[in-house]
Amino acid sequence: MTERAIEIAGKAAEGKTNADIAAELFISPGTVRTHVASIQRKLGVRNRVGIAVRAWEMGYVTGLMTG
């Protein structure tokens, strides 16, 4: 995956919404949606929960989540 996809996967795994991710990365929510769909295909998962599981397994998210 690209560096951007890894970044978005990590943020999705942290429970952030498309709007949250878009605001943090200065991209549109539609672009985030496109990335999320691509990440799902690449990881072979069906939803954001699957992205979160794989992101944790692959080390894209580390430490404890904070509100």
Side-chain angles (χ1 to χ4, degrees):
M1 285 198 305
T2 66
E3 188 174 322
R4 180 62 109 187
I6 291 168
E7 186 176 23
I8 290 173
K11 290 184 181 301
E14 292 171 357
K16 296 185 177 180
T17 65
N18 288 353
D20 294 336
I21 297 168
E24 286 183 31
L25 300 180
F26 304 103
I27 58 178
S28 75
T31 299
V32 174
R33 214 172 12 258
T34 298
H35 277 291
V36 168
S38 174
I39 292 163
Q40 287 174 317
R41 281 191 306 277
K42 289 177 182 177
L43 297 180
V45 299
R46 301 179 97 190
N47 53 38
R48 293 172 81 93
V49 173
I51 290 173
V53 170
R54 294 291 292 142
W56 280 93
E57 290 174 348
M58 298 171 85
Y60 298 157
V61 179
T62 59
L64 298 174
M65 294 188 315
T66 58

